[in-house]
Amino acid sequence: MTPADIETFFATLQAANPHPQTELAFASVFELLAAVLLSAQATDVGVNKATRRLFVVANTPQKILALGVEGLEQHIKTIGLYRSKAKHLMLTCQMLVDLHGGQVPRTREALEALPGVGRKTANVVLNVAFGEPTMAVDTHLFRLGNRTGLAPGKTPLAVEMGLLKRIPKAYMVDAHHWLILHGRYVCQARKPLCWQCGVEKVCGFKLKTPAPK
């Protein structure tokens, strides 16, 4: 994808959705961190359903710890891998209390040191909570980076570095939201809805899906 195509690509997505937002429900930085940690291999809808109940009774590290592992598991058992996620969230809450005064840290290093928090989760928190121009590469971004020709790469990190290098600064803060939403609802994995795609003309995907008859 050429620089001119990339400009058109993001200008088009921006025009269609000027202020994109994450679909995870949260009311604080800690709630965002917890929701993203719980969202691995799960849908945002499923996570929101569980956290809607959880955050009413426990929406701080201290309150999560007070629930205990079994109590936390009861609130999130509808989410896949809930046992390991409960363990990670409990350990993360303990570290937040012990090392950060119960607050979510603002540096990548401190975030990635938390149990269950990898590079993608750290990027989401840095971007959504603190406005950092980071790129959280999930399955949607990895697919779009390669399929469209925007930032081809064999690994999520390679795609992330390509996106950071190629996306114009004016679009960077909101770019990962646009890409996630585009991948979730238009450029879907099995059958991209190319006939509904506003950026189809600048996309390098060769096997475009025709409109259904």
Side-chain angles (χ1 to χ4, degrees), residues 1-10 144-145 147-152 166 199-205:
M1 195 180 288
T2 67
D5 288 340
I6 293 172
E7 173 66 33
T8 298
F9 185 94
F10 284 100
L144 263 66
R147 178 184 278 173
T148 65
L150 177 60
R166 305 196 75 196
V199 294
E200 181 266 340
K201 290 183 179 180
V202 296
C203 169
F205 185 50

Side-chain angles (χ1 to χ4, degrees), residues 6-27:
I6 293 172
E7 173 66 33
T8 298
F9 185 94
F10 284 100
T12 302
L13 295 180
Q14 182 185 56
N17 185 5
H19 305 290
Q21 303 290 327
T22 178
E23 293 187 323
L24 287 172
F26 68 97

Side-chain angles (χ1 to χ4, degrees), residues 95-126:
M95 286 185 66
L96 291 177
V97 170
D98 292 344
L99 302 179
H100 304 287
Q103 301 300 308
V104 177
R106 294 190 61 153
T107 67
R108 176 185 301 283
E109 293 74 19
L111 285 167
E112 290 188 18
L114 299 171
V117 177
R119 185 176 183 88
K120 185 187 76 171
T121 298
N123 279 338
V124 172
V125 174
L126 290 170

